[in-house]
Amino acid sequence: MTRADHLALAEPIEDADVPVAEMVTTTRRAEARAVMATVAALRGQGVPVRDIAIVARDLDGYEAPLYRAAIQYGLTPVFWTQLRVTRTRPYALVEAVCETLGGDELTAETLCRPLEHRWSPPSKTTKPWSLDPKEVGGVIEALPDGSRTLTEWRDEFAAVPTIDERFERYVEWLDDCPEPTPGAVTDVLDAVVDTYEQRGLPVTKANDSPALAETEQDARAVVRVKTLVRHLGHKYADRLEEGTIERSWSAVAELARLMVTQRPGRREHSNARAVDVLEANDVWLLDIPYVIGVGLVDGEWPQQTESVVPPELQEAILRGEGQAGTLAPRAAWTDGRDRDQFDDTVRAAGAGLILTRHTETSAGEERRPSPLLDYLSPEVVSDDERRRLLSDDPQLPTAVQAMYDTVEGREDEGRHDSEEASR
Amino acid sequence: MQRRLREAQTPKQGVEFADPAAVGERLLTTATLSANALDRIDRLSMIRAVLADEDVSITPPAVPSDPRTVEQIRTEIESVTGFHPTRLDAVQDVAEGLVAPIDADATELVDVAVDIERALRQRTPKAVSEVESVRRATRELFRSDGEVWDAAYPAVERVSLAGISSIPIADIDLLHALLDSTSVPVDIYCRRGTGSFLSRRVAELLDVAQPGSVVFES
């Protein structure tokens, strides 16, 4: 299917309500430098850092160059990268352990969930433990229905001589776990993640394909969860001191989830020197005076997602004629999501929108402008102006300076609003 | 959305935020059904086992046989059909109507997706995916004629689906069952880039019997 067909699926995007400038550089690195030079120059004019945000369709390619450029300009970038850690096994294990320890009455399923996530007894020995999901499932089915306390389960297990001794050992471990003081929380969970690294991770590796992609993901998750456990202990201690959390393992589980799903927000950073760098996915409904959209390059934004379904079948389903009308059109087959997010980015800008792109790959191949740019009518920053921006005596390009001057003209109401918002 | 409301200093009282998967989980738990679902990691290793045991036959090159690709085939066909009998018939007809040899490839792709889902279902008592959990909840909602909804969400007066660039079929079917079996009004909020396209399609997506049902026996 051609791009025109994809685009025909949606209405044109409306032009921006604020002035738009376009800045073009040769490489991605140069683009990142121009972006940070713009941020620094706006800061130099007295624009608070929280009034500026940088938006990329996909941070993967931009995080490193933007970071380097930010450092050059004495700026601290905060990257709002998506935390997917909640979908990893080490995280699931930590959460399951907390929930099992926190439950008053447990069903067999809840009781055994940590085992499904490859819990094994913390100890110095590296003796294989390996309970596979099938064995765990078998034991869950053999256990009686209904909820019991940990101690009752321990008695239950002790009364059944045929039960795998590893299960007994597990319930003993649970029952012997200390009360959730901050120190105990850190110790217990640390040990849980450590043993996962020793015994769980090798299982992932053994089941993995030769490229070891899952092993790499799992190993990265182990590192992330270890860091989480450390922060979790501190935060839990703080909250206990403030009296804003109860002392329970369930509360620890909740706090852990809060910590991994909460990203640094503007309000939390409103006094900081950090400049927000977001993915377009996170811009929905935001209102920021200066928005800098980066990577307006064809293939980058919008980005074509790979599909296994033949384009002809995709097209028939997207058109939805006749029988195909009951079939759900899949967004990933179109650039619909990218369009929505581009529109979000355009609407987020309250004072001015600056869009940047580069024209060459690092290998020198041409990169074409994004077709999304056609919907707007940006004022293009000249090469001379860009050079002045990057010089030792940096000056904002006139198009960007005009955004600032316009806002200054409306200073009274504008500043009042932004103070309200930052409180 | 919660953050936006907070920043706009709009009260959040009276509003509960949940994604369709969380709603499905609450419904299943209320009905004392298991809300356990395989995660992607488990699913991939199970698909690897299914392929190794040759439970599902795959003929390259029409269908590549590495687990990730097979999982992608399953997900894409699932998001279009929800493995609903009427929709699977429709997609097969559409596939057969394509020009040769694409018709054969497309047909086989759909078959592989169905076979893999079936093989996974046979290997686990859990739901194969979170999406299947939502379907289980949808079937339960339909079966109980809304009773499970009233028990799980007694105070909810209105359901709004917001922030969408696409409408996965499982979510549509959940809303469909909700509309058919309760008196709760449902609003769908589309976005500017894709809204007009999606809103044209929604009505017909609701035009199937027994939302959430699947071609599999159990």
Side-chain angles (χ1 to χ4, degrees):
Chain A
M1 190 185 310
T2 65
R3 173 164 306 281
D5 283 325
H6 276 138
L7 293 174
L9 296 173
E11 310 289 311
I13 290 171
E14 280 173 46
D15 203 345
D17 310 324
V18 294
V20 186
E22 181 183 347
M23 198 150 43
V24 187
T25 61
T26 44
T27 64
R28 191 192 296 262
R29 280 178 66 175
E31 184 187 352
R33 268 200 303 278
V35 166
M36 287 305 172
T38 308
V39 175
L42 282 169
R43 296 269 295 123
Q45 299 263 17
V47 174
V49 73
R50 63 170 181 274
D51 283 357
I52 309 168
I54 299 164
V55 180
R57 153 72 176 74
D58 188 347
L59 271 178
D60 276 355
Y62 274 96
E63 187 167 344
L66 284 174
Y67 184 80
R68 276 196 297 268
I71 300 305
Q72 270 181 6
Y73 282 93
L75 298 160
T76 314
V78 173
F79 294 95
W80 291 34
T81 37
Q82 290 271 9
L83 286 166
R84 307 260 185 228
V85 72
T86 48
R87 300 195 192 163
T88 64
R89 201 189 292 273
Y91 177 81
L93 172 62
V94 163
E95 191 174 46
V97 164
C98 291
E99 274 167 2
T100 307
L101 288 170
D104 296 331
E105 303 243 302
L106 304 164
T107 62
E109 243 175 32
T110 319
L111 176 75
C112 294
R113 196 159 297 143
L115 290 173
E116 293 181 10
H117 296 302
R118 305 196 190 138
W119 177 92
S120 63
S123 72
K124 294 271 176 271
T125 66
T126 45
K127 209 170 64 179
W129 163 268
S130 71
L131 262 176
D132 68 41
K134 236 183 228 156
E135 287 175 282
V136 179
V139 169
I140 292 176
E141 270 174 34
L143 290 172
D145 286 344
S147 302
R148 285 169 178 68
T149 64
L150 264 182
T151 316
E152 284 164 2
W153 276 120
R154 192 172 175 169
D155 296 345
E156 188 81 37
F157 279 30
V160 186
T162 53
I163 208 151
D164 190 317
E165 64 171 24
R166 287 175 296 186
F167 281 83
E168 266 181 89
R169 173 117 190 251
Y170 165 64
V171 177
E172 275 168 28
W173 177 83
L174 285 175
D175 204 20
D176 292 343
C177 267
E179 285 296 303
T181 61
V185 165
T186 313
D187 290 348
V188 168
L189 298 181
D190 235 1
V192 165
V193 183
D194 272 343
T195 17
Y196 181 85
E197 191 175 18
Q198 284 168 31
R199 301 211 193 87
L201 193 54
V203 178
T204 305
K205 192 171 176 183
N207 294 336
D208 206 353
S209 56
L212 294 180
E214 280 165 47
T215 312
E216 190 200 324
Q217 192 193 358
D218 210 21
R220 282 215 310 265
V222 166
V223 176
R224 297 280 285 278
V225 174
K226 276 185 177 173
T227 317
L228 167 70
V229 167
R230 211 172 50 240
H231 293 314
L232 180 64
H234 296 313
K235 181 144 276 189
Y236 178 57
D238 289 349
R239 294 272 173 105
L240 281 176
E241 208 164 285
E242 295 165 13
T244 51
I245 201 172
E246 60 167 308
R247 205 176 88 171
S248 77
W249 282 102
S250 313
V252 173
E254 232 168 84
L255 185 60
R257 182 155 281 269
L258 196 72
M259 286 174 68
V260 291
T261 51
Q262 182 174 292
R263 286 170 247 164
R266 299 184 69 75
R267 286 172 65 85
E268 288 80 353
H269 277 271
S270 54
N271 295 315
R273 301 160 56 90
V275 56
D276 283 332
V277 187
L278 305 91
E279 286 197 337
N281 193 24
D282 286 322
V283 185
W284 187 46
L285 299 181
L286 279 185
D287 188 5
I288 307 152
Y290 298 90
V291 172
I292 307 178
V294 305
L296 269 300
V297 170
D298 195 16
E300 188 104 28
W301 192 357
Q303 206 168 74
Q304 209 67 39
T305 34
E306 297 279 311
S307 168
V308 285
V309 172
E312 292 80 357
L313 182 56
Q314 293 179 23
E315 183 175 353
I317 294 169
L318 290 172
R319 292 201 182 286
E321 282 157 13
Q323 271 191 300
T326 58
L327 302 171
R330 188 174 158 82
W333 292 342
T334 72
D335 55 11
R337 198 179 302 263
D338 284 351
R339 293 166 52 84
D340 277 344
Q341 294 177 359
F342 181 68
D343 185 70
D344 294 341
T345 307
V346 173
R347 291 323 131 198
L353 175 68
I354 301 150
L355 300 171
T356 66
R357 64 185 176 93
H358 55 274
T359 56
E360 277 178 21
T361 65
S362 50
E365 284 159 31
E366 186 192 1
R367 305 218 64 187
R368 305 189 49 75
S370 163
L372 293 167
L373 284 168
D374 297 343
Y375 293 115
L376 309 180
S377 19
E379 189 172 327
V380 179
V381 172
S382 73
D383 289 351
D384 278 350
E385 286 194 301
R386 204 189 64 243
R387 273 192 285 273
R388 274 203 294 279
L389 173 67
L390 291 161
S391 71
D392 291 339
D393 177 26
Q395 283 172 36
L396 277 174
T398 37
V400 181
Q401 185 66 47
M403 296 171 189
Y404 176 78
D405 294 341
T406 313
V407 175
E408 281 298 285
R410 303 195 300 248
E411 189 188 5
D412 288 347
E413 47 175 314
R415 177 162 299 174
H416 180 70
D417 282 347
S418 87
E419 268 171 322
E420 280 294 303
S422 67
R423 229 171 258 150
Chain B
M1 198 187 291
Q2 297 185 51
R3 222 187 94 225
R4 309 302 184 254
L5 285 175
R6 195 173 63 221
E7 282 178 350
Q9 301 183 335
T10 307
K12 285 192 292 172
Q13 286 92 357
V15 185
E16 185 175 334
F17 297 89
D19 60 11
V23 173
E25 191 176 333
R26 166 109 62 115
L27 292 176
L28 289 171
T29 315
T30 307
T32 62
L33 296 169
S34 165
N36 266 345
L38 292 185
D39 60 21
R40 185 179 146 83
I41 302 169
D42 293 337
R43 206 157 48 239
L44 282 173
S45 36
M46 216 175 263
I47 289 174
R48 190 167 294 120
V50 168
L51 297 176
D53 297 350
E54 295 182 352
D55 277 7
V56 172
S57 75
I58 286 180
T59 41
V63 181
S65 60
D66 72 286
R68 275 162 198 270
T69 313
V70 170
E71 166 65 0
Q72 199 186 343
I73 294 169
R74 193 195 64 78
T75 321
E76 293 201 23
I77 298 303
E78 175 174 58
S79 75
V80 169
T81 66
F83 300 114
H84 188 282
T86 314
R87 295 199 185 99
L88 276 174
D89 283 348
V91 79
Q92 283 296 22
D93 283 353
V94 172
E96 282 163 17
L98 299 172
V99 291
I102 299 160
D103 56 345
D105 289 357
T107 315
E108 186 172 354
L109 205 70
V110 176
D111 286 341
V112 164
V114 174
D115 290 348
I116 280 290
E117 179 83 3
R118 179 180 292 115
L120 291 174
R121 290 171 72 99
Q122 283 163 356
R123 278 175 187 241
T124 176
K126 292 185 181 181
V128 163
S129 62
E130 256 184 12
V131 182
E132 170 59 15
S133 270
V134 173
R135 279 196 296 268
R136 280 188 182 177
T138 304
R139 294 195 288 269
E140 182 57 24
L141 183 55
F142 206 73
R143 195 201 57 76
S144 71
D145 198 22
E147 219 170 86
V148 66
W149 177 268
D150 296 334
Y153 294 99
V156 167
E157 292 167 11
R158 175 174 290 272
V159 172
S160 302
L161 181 66
I164 49 168
S165 285
S166 77
I167 314 181
I169 204 71
D171 301 354
I172 276 286
D173 281 355
L174 179 65
L175 295 180
H176 184 178
L178 191 62
L179 287 169
D180 274 9
S181 60
T182 72
S183 55
V184 183
V186 173
D187 299 304
I188 299 179
Y189 292 90
C190 294
R191 298 169 72 175
R192 294 168 58 137
T194 48
S196 59
F197 168 62
L198 291 179
S199 55
R200 279 200 300 275
R201 296 292 305 274
V202 168
E204 233 184 312
L205 294 179
L206 293 170
D207 193 20
V208 297
Q210 305 268 348
S213 63
V214 288
V215 287
F216 313 103
E217 304 75 45
S218 58

